[in-house]
Amino acid sequence: MKTAMIVKQYSQRARLALVNRKAQKVKLLLLGQHMNDGLVAKLILIFLLSIVAYLYLQPLFYMISTMLKSLADLLDPTVQWIPRKVDWGNLDNAYAGLHYASSLVHTLTLAVVPSLISILVCSLTGYALARLQFPGKTVFFALIFMTFLIPPQIIIIPLYVIYSKLGWLDTPLVFIVPALFGQGLKSALFILIFRQFFLSLPKALEEAAMLDGASLFRLFFRIILPLSVPACLVVFLFSFVWHWNEGYLSSMFLSHDFMPLSLRLSNLETEIFGQAPTMEMLAVNPVTEGTKMAGAFLIVFPPLLVYMIAQRWFVEGVERTGIVD
Amino acid sequence: MNPARLRRQAKIRYRWRSRGQAYLFMLPWMIGFCVFMAFPIGWSLYLAFQKVNLTGSGSFAYRFVGLQNFKDALLKDNEYPIQLLTFFQQMILMLPIIIVFSLLVSLMLNQKFKGRFVYRAIFFLPVVFSTGQVLTELFQQGAGNVPFLTQYGVDGYIKDNFSPSTAAMMTQLLGMMILILWSSGVQILIFIAGFQTIPKAIYEAVRIDGASPWASFWKITLPGIKPFIGLNLLYTMVDLFTFPFNPVMEQIRRNMFNVSTGYGYASALAWFYFLLIVVMIALILWFLNRTGRNKEEWA
């Protein structure tokens, strides 16, 4: 009799313990050990991120939606996001107005050639800063840092005069030649990225190559550069994108014979409607809205495509090149 | 010829050979620096104290005017000082917005959850397509504002509580809020990379000691990424130099091609602007240095 009681008691306790443990498991799953690694926290996190991401992408959605609206839809305030009928006319207009084919070639030249040159020159400089000993190294380092901080407004006037004397205005040379000498767009940053990457390579490699009697140049081009493909990729992608989006310098140095897409966009209205755009910031003309957005889309589309293909290296490469240690 | 001296000579020769090679590596950059950096900087400084006239044959006629250009810019010019003020007001407001936003987003992206990489890709997108002209178009069509800010009457609140000029500037900033946030792609990356530099073991240790995530953020994460905050401040500033809505840029350009003012005056404008920037950069660098763990290596 007594034993039965005890057994019953114990089984009850065991059941309770089991329920308790289950409850704990659920709690652990939901809240995690420290409130920030449970399901609830994750859901809140994803929810927040999604809202911010939506806000972030909104202008892009706006661009695409406005681009596909016909004039009637643009004038109709009840049509907000989804056009009543998809209208490709804006794209055609913008394509013609931007002189898309030729400007695309120009912009590509402007983006690819200096980027490739930058990789070579900046990696040479970065290697010297990372691994070689020479007097005045710290001075050079400080100067490179300084070139990064100098606002372009300071040197734009002398550069304009120099380029016009050399007859480089309106040619891609204004971007290519400075890149060749390590002074291209954000070159200082690329030099620092390369330096950082080379510092993270094991020294033993270079020592071994030197012992085997390789010259410095051979060592660099045969061993170091092939090893630094990830850093080269990151630099190339950044450089490509920045050159593509560059507006300030190109608006100064390039005018009519050699026009990248970004400049064409500012002239789009004049181009299509034969009238100069009004200077009032907020005077929006619904007639041209769609066409302008189509133009903007045509400009951002190629780099977007590149990014979709290369985004894995973009984001991971930045972390892997040890840019920041 | 004693062998010791021979050896010393050989050593010196070897050292100079390796130095020569190092200078060869640096040569392209050195040439470029002299031609495209040092020379233009010197020249533009010289121009800033001159009155420059274009003669008919396309060459320049200089006339030394001392500080006249600067005096004109600050006292006579009725646009430049105002635009400088607007720019720096904007900058003071934009810097913290961008830094705080990128810090929050990078903190969120640093957590482990499925689909993290999709979000990372999204937040890096604007770096890919923020062409100045495209941004300007978007802003003109009012696509850059945050919808719920206008819905809840934030702009009305601002108009009531600030002076008209400040309010105008703040509403303008609100109108391009998203475009401002768009320029934080690189900063987010820098922060994420910065988080990787803090050893995991520290977090485990404080966790065992019973610190909440909240406390560990304030006590460990924030001090740990202080250098990266300074770095991001620097990067953001450099980025804002050529921000498409920077009024000073336009001003300099207009004066360059203006016959009555010309290159000398435009140079003076640029230099004064630069002086103010140097002051700001110096402040940031001082802040960086104060954090003790002075890291010069950065992305």
Side-chain angles (χ1 to χ4, degrees), chain A residues 181-198:
Chain A
F181 292 106
Q183 304 296 329
L185 198 61
K186 305 230 185 187
S187 280
L189 193 61
F190 300 142
I191 290 172
L192 294 171
I193 289 177
F194 271 120
R195 171 181 171 269
Q196 206 46 52
F197 179 81
F198 293 141

Side-chain angles (χ1 to χ4, degrees), chain A residues 34 42 50 56 62 135 144-145 151 153 183 196 241-242 245 251 262 284 289 292 307 319 323-324, chain B residues 23 33 112 119-121 127-128 131 133 137 140-141 181-182 193 207 228 235 241 249 253 297-299:
Chain A
H34 293 270
K42 287 230 160 76
S50 303
Y56 222 61
Y62 172 86
I144 288 174
F145 213 83
Q153 289 89 339
Q183 304 296 329
Q196 206 46 52
V241 162
W242 277 329
N245 293 331
S251 69
S262 58
V284 176
E289 243 181 58
K292 279 183 173 171
Y307 179 61
E319 287 168 26
I323 269 168
V324 203
Chain B
Y23 282 127
F33 179 79
K112 284 192 172 43
Y119 284 104
R120 275 190 198 188
V127 176
V128 176
T131 311
Q133 278 77 0
E137 290 299 339
Q140 281 183 1
Q141 304 197 10
L181 296 186
W182 266 17
R207 216 163 231 214
F228 297 97
Y235 184 86
F241 295 161
M249 252 164 47
R253 174 142 115 215
E297 308 95 37
W298 56 291

